[in-house]
Amino acid sequence: IHLMKKISLLVLSLCCMLGMSAQTTNLAYFPFTNNVAAPSTPTSYTAEAGTQATTAGLYLDGTHGSSAWLQASELTANSGSTINATTGTGAGKDLAMINSSANGKSFVFHFATTGYQNIVLTMAARRTSTGFNASAWEYSTDGTTFTALTGLSTMPSAASTYELATLDLTSITAVNEQANVYLRCTLTGASSDNGSYRIDNVQINAVP
């Protein structure tokens, strides 16, 4: 009986440990709640929540492997979405990348995964019919050498409707346990100056 109790306690302890290890942690959250429209749209942002609030960043300024986006003509803000928003976060504003002049330009998320694995990025995403229609993602751990994430996309399937977009990196072990991770997205396919690709409520989550 005592042996059975010990075995039961061991099994219970293991189950608790496994359950704890599977809990997801939010590393960074970018809601763009108070973003501003062109020509004053920022070209860089820091996470507003998560364990890396104020340290994780989003770059469209030519640093961290990103392209230098033009504030006056290639970036703006519109009404946002509640898709993928955390509790208590309203729709607010979003971040819109616009204009066919920005075809081939990239934006980059930078964060750390020290102590974490199974990285997943989620966000609300929307495009217009003449906006960017393809997103090519890459990752890096040094900000210089990037590796393509083949087959992964965060481009909405239809125009003018917000959708939940997911970039699942759970199979990419190279981004686990890293002091620096860079996720770069290059946009193409825009055919007009007001065509856009819009993102909101970006979450970067991981498992301890």
Side-chain angles (χ1 to χ4, degrees):
I1 293 175
H2 291 299
L3 179 60
M4 290 181 66
K5 284 185 177 179
K6 288 182 178 180
I7 293 173
S8 297
L9 286 171
L10 178 60
V11 171
L12 180 61
S13 297
L14 287 171
C15 288
C16 288
M17 289 173 65
L18 288 171
M20 289 176 64
S21 67
Q23 291 179 352
T24 299
T25 298
N26 178 243
L27 302 182
Y29 179 49
F30 301 84
F32 306 110
T33 306
N34 299 309
N35 203 14
V36 293
S40 301
T41 310
T43 55
S44 65
Y45 302 81
T46 55
E48 296 183 27
T51 61
Q52 294 173 37
T54 74
T55 58
L58 166 59
Y59 299 92
L60 308 95
D61 59 357
T63 69
H64 297 78
S66 70
S67 303
W69 296 68
L70 303 179
Q71 286 180 287
S73 59
E74 295 176 343
L75 297 173
T76 192
N78 301 287
S79 296
S81 171
T82 57
I83 292 175
N84 210 46
T86 59
T87 303
T89 304
K93 297 295 185 179
D94 63 9
L95 170 62
M97 286 145 277
I98 63 175
N99 206 327
S100 58
S101 65
N103 277 322
K105 287 194 172 183
S106 307
F107 59 90
V108 172
F109 290 99
H110 174 234
F111 53 99
T113 60
T114 306
Y116 292 93
Q117 61 181 352
N118 297 340
I119 317 304
V120 177
L121 182 151
T122 57
M123 63 183 174
R126 176 176 178 174
R127 65 180 175 89
T128 61
S129 58
T130 59
F132 305 98
N133 57 23
S135 59
W137 285 88
E138 304 165 280
Y139 73 87
S140 174
T141 56
D142 61 11
T144 302
T145 302
F146 284 82
T147 301
L149 291 165
T150 306
L152 298 183
S153 173
T154 52
M155 190 58 59
S157 59
S160 303
T161 303
Y162 264 110
E163 297 178 3
L164 177 66
T166 300
L167 190 73
D168 189 340
L169 305 176
T170 54
S171 65
I172 311 298
T173 58
V175 298
N176 297 339
E177 290 276 358
Q178 297 293 326
N180 293 284
V181 173
Y182 304 80
L183 293 180
R184 181 165 68 185
C185 180
T186 302
L187 300 175
T188 54
S191 58
S192 74
D193 59 359
N194 61 356
S196 70
Y197 171 69
R198 298 159 56 177
I199 63 175
D200 200 7
N201 306 321
V202 180
Q203 294 190 42
I204 300 173
N205 296 307
V207 175

